Amino acid sequence: MTQAMERALPHGTDRPAVTTQESLPDSTPSCSTQVSIKGGNVSLSDGHRQGSILTYSCPDGSYPHPVRTRICQSDGNWAPMYSSGRRVTQASCRGMRCPPQRAFENGFFSPRLSAYPVRGVLNFECFDGYQLHGSAQRHCQSNGRWNGTSPVCNDGAGHCPSLPIPPGAISSGGRNRLGDRVSFQCQTGLDLVGSSEHVCTPEGEWSGAETSCRAPYSYDRAEDVAAEFGASLTNVLSVVSSGSDHSDLPQDPSLGRKLILSTDSFLHIYLLADASHSVTSKHFEMFKKSLEIIIDRIASFEMPIRFALLSYASQPLTIVDTFDDIAEDPDLVIEKMRDEMKYEDHGNATGTNIQEALMAVYSMMINHRAANSRNWDQIRHAIILLTDGKSNMGGSPKVAVRRIEDFLNVKENRKDYLDIYVFGIGRLDVDQAAMNEVASNKAGERHVFILTDPKELKKAFEDVLADKTQLHIKRRIDHELYNVRAKAAQGIQEFYDYDISLLELDGPGKLGPICLPCTTGANRALKKPETATCKDHELDLLSFEKVPAQFVSLNNERLNVLIKTKKSRPKCISAALQHALYSKVANVSEVVTDRFLCSGEDGNGAVEDASCKGESGGSLFVERRARYFQVGVLSWGTFDACKNKATESNHRVRKTPKRGQKPRDFYLSLFRVQDWLRHHLAGSLRFIPQQ
């Protein structure tokens, strides 16, 4: 292939990618060289030969119309283009549009348009007696998606909160009483993603995944995919435990699902990569790099995992079976993928058969259970499917999904034993409705994602579960009431009340997903009604006498503590006076105000970790409903667990306290600095009422 064939058109020209017949090889091309798109570029997978795929691309904020790709047919013509039933001879770049708001109950919105251009704005207000939840103002983004969350006006009178009506949709059915069903339907030309029907459950929650209506040309940004896929995947990974003994910790039914696996039970991850002709060899290699990244990310969690690896076109090829010896070793799985997972191994069988690929997973499950059935019902399964977005042979993939669900006995109380994620790569060619039928629909999570190309997929996977410690600090905001010398005149040389700061970053930084209590996001994660208050969050998260919590050490390890509350708190904070700085203080409340949380061993047998010098500022967090909630910030302690124990590699080794020592750590409670947090974060987060 000549360099001229591979070169795309300069932006904004109408010239063909190859301008003269003489610039081609000696053989006569199958299809015309006179191909272009107004306002965009053209690229070819194999010149103008039969089977070559022509791809149109447009600048950000626009999309190719009426198609994104065309194939060079055997008759020497590019596949024809149609729009509204009429043949189109010239492709063009059209401006993105966001779907209109069709209805908004118990309130009003403006402006009312049939479609909204990029940077268009929607404003929402509620009638008297109703409270607005969600985004009061939304902006149309360059990917054809509205920012923020769909708003709703709620009066708190129903068993379930009112359901927001997403842009482009109309609703029908009941309201928000127990057992009511609400259905959504998207306007013509838009695909429904998520659940089309929601049921008001006895728990006061709506079943199913959030509904959205999407234009075929809209897509997800890599950063949004990383955040939402990462949050859901963390849910899968965090609820699976390797069987650690937690018998000494209080048990709380509100902790939600938590599967405790024995040493011979596993989480099974099935990775499926599309190798059909429309994907191309180059993009398939990018799929492999993306899978390598996600295997590495998942393997970083300390739990028993088995990986399966398949490529598929007209038929699937199994590279690694969950029953293989190497399935437990992520490094060997990656090595085998690099060596044996090849695009060309599918030969001329170049169709896209997602049904058969999922049936291969189904067969793998059957064989694995037959060989090792003892703990099969405890195994959790997650399928990650990469596709070009269309299944053009083999029948509907949902048939295989139903078989897998039946085989795993995925009923109401076992829905968390199966997660299916579908990634469609490409804009106009992705069949969003078909993908939605395959993916899991779970409340509060997304399992369908659409990206423009494999590079965006790789970028998204690079940010999933990533531990980015190189953060760029743009601004630091200290609490204005913090003054370490505030009580020096009283003989208290160091006083740490209000010891809290906010850091604003000048670039993306991600230390792992965590929820901030008293926000709408945390409220959804806790599955609280929309009428819940900050006090409700505190009662939920700090409800035990001794609350199991964790903080992260300088060695990046999670350490376990028990937050002492209620009757246990006075004894915990009293040990603060054993520190030399406070040995002459008569009343411990002069040092430990009611803004502090306290942890430390109390001699009753529960082993707790103590902090080291340098770990101040770290997050104190608890787990509820398979999510992590930050409840405090580590401020100070009475015992340096790492003193004189740093090794040559600077790896801190923790020591046990001497006989009679009572290590205590104190944390600024986020519930006690709510006014300050709301003042500085109101523009970034949406808070719920305090009382």
Side-chain angles (χ1 to χ4, degrees), residues 75 164 370 424 544 687:
D75 60 2
F544 298 133
F687 288 85

Side-chain angles (χ1 to χ4, degrees), residues 355-386:
Q355 161 85 336
E356 198 62 31
L358 291 173
M359 287 301 294
V361 172
Y362 173 61
S363 298
M364 192 180 296
M365 292 177 175
I366 293 175
N367 294 335
H368 198 118
R369 186 180 71 172
N372 186 19
S373 61
R374 185 174 56 171
N375 296 301
W376 176 258
D377 288 342
Q378 298 178 31
I379 297 174
R380 188 168 184 175
H381 306 263
I383 300 172
I384 298 176
L385 176 73
L386 310 185

Side-chain angles (χ1 to χ4, degrees), residues 106 126 129-133 152-163 176-177 204 529-532:
N106 304 313
C126 293
Y130 293 86
Q131 185 175 4
L132 189 143
H133 295 271
V152 64
C153 296
N154 191 41
D155 60 1
H159 181 77
C160 289
S162 298
L163 264 179
N176 49 5
R177 299 181 299 273
E530 291 191 359
T531 55

Side-chain angles (χ1 to χ4, degrees), residues 134-135 137-139 141 145-151 210:
S135 300
Q137 186 178 84
R138 307 186 74 181
H139 298 263
Q141 303 174 111
R145 304 287 307 279
W146 290 102
N147 76 335
T149 58
S150 293
E210 181 181 357

